């Protein structure tokens, strides 16, 4: 009787009113989706020194033709920036050589599918685009040994949007005030998941 009572108490202490959510570890996720929801202070830190409104203004004044693709043209990117406040997505910043860069992506509001990603620097109190990459579900994030990594999903014609066949990765190094592209490689796995497994 005592054992049954203790078992019931233990089970009720572990239960919640929240519904059970089952997650598949094999399902690929984007860098924005796989990080935990940031606190208000983390968002404020990411949005320093420039707010999304300031970044949006400088992006709209920038030639975006280099990041346009056949699927998402420069005009499409400008339309998202102009018409959709939630389509400019703040990501964790990147620091190297004592300089901080804010990372922003432009993508769809519903599923955070990114088609352009930018590293923004502080140029004497004004935001400046230091690096811009475009592609299919492309994100910039901090990599190993001070690199900045552009990760892009690679889809075969029959791949569903949730599940790309692989990833294309480009590494950038910050040298003499500029980003220089270094190594590039393809991976069948999400590189951000591999990094998470190593830590």
């Amino acid at each position: 009787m005592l054992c049954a009572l203790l078992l019931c108490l233990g089970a009720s202490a572990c239960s919640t009113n929240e519904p059970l959510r089952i997650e598949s570890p094999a399902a690929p996720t984007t860098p924005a989706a796989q990080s935990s929801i940031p606190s208000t202070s983390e968002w404020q830190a990411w949005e320093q020194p420039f707010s999304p409104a300031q970044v949006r203004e400088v992006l709209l004044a920038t030639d975006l033709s280099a990041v346009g693709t056949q699927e998402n043209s420069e005009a499409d990117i400008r339309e998202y920036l102009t018409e959709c406040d939630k389509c400019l997505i703040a990501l964790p910043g990147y620091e190297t050589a004592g300089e901080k860069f804010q990372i922003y992506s432009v993508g769809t509001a519903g599923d955070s599918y990114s088609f352009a990603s930018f590293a923004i620097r502080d140029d004497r109190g004004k935001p400046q685009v230091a690096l811009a990459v475009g592609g299919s579900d492309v994100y910039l994030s901090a990599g190993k040994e001070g690199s900045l990594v552009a990760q892009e999903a690679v889809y075969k014609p029959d791949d569903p949007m949730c599940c790309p066949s692989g990833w294309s990765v480009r590494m950038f190094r910050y040298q003499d005030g500029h980003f220089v592209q270094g190594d590039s490689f393809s991976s069948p796995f999400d590189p951000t998941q591999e990094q998470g497994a190593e830590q």
Side-chain angles (χ1 to χ4, degrees), residues 134-150:
S136 174
D137 209 11
V138 63
Y139 290 90
L140 285 170
S141 61
K144 295 180 179 177
E145 299 176 2
S147 64
L148 188 59
V149 177

Side-chain angles (χ1 to χ4, degrees), residues 94 96-97 99 101 121 130 146-148 172-180:
Y94 162 78
T96 187
E99 191 168 356
F101 296 85
R121 68 152 49 101
S147 64
L148 188 59
F172 294 89
R173 298 281 180 192
Y174 191 63
Q175 298 175 354
D176 302 321
H178 300 283
F179 283 101
V180 178

Side-chain angles (χ1 to χ4, degrees), residues 150-188:
Q151 170 191 320
E152 179 180 358
V154 176
Y155 290 92
K156 291 182 179 177
D158 57 345
D159 285 346
M161 289 302 291
C162 71
C163 311
S165 291
W167 303 87
S168 171
V169 179
R170 290 171 280 167
M171 313 283 284
F172 294 89
R173 298 281 180 192
Y174 191 63
Q175 298 175 354
D176 302 321
H178 300 283
F179 283 101
V180 178
Q181 184 170 340
D183 294 339
S184 61
F185 62 92
S186 297
S187 171

Side-chain angles (χ1 to χ4, degrees), residues 184-198:
S184 61
F185 62 92
S186 297
S187 171
F189 305 103
D190 184 341
T192 60
Q193 289 185 343
E194 290 178 342
Q195 286 179 2
E198 292 172 3

Side-chain angles (χ1 to χ4, degrees), residues 25-84:
T29 57
T30 63
Q34 73 182 6
S35 59
S36 59
I37 297 173
S39 66
T40 302
S41 62
E42 287 174 324
W43 275 116
Q44 289 170 344
W46 290 354
E47 295 178 358
Q48 295 298 325
F50 305 113
S51 69
Q54 291 172 299
V55 172
R56 179 179 286 104
E57 186 176 339
V58 75
L59 291 178
L60 286 170
T62 299
D63 178 7
L64 299 175
S65 59
V67 296
T69 63
Q70 187 174 4
E71 294 81 16
N72 298 286
S73 67
E74 177 182 10
D76 294 331
I77 296 170
R78 289 188 180 282
E79 183 178 349
Y80 275 94
L81 283 168
T82 304
E83 303 294 332
C84 174

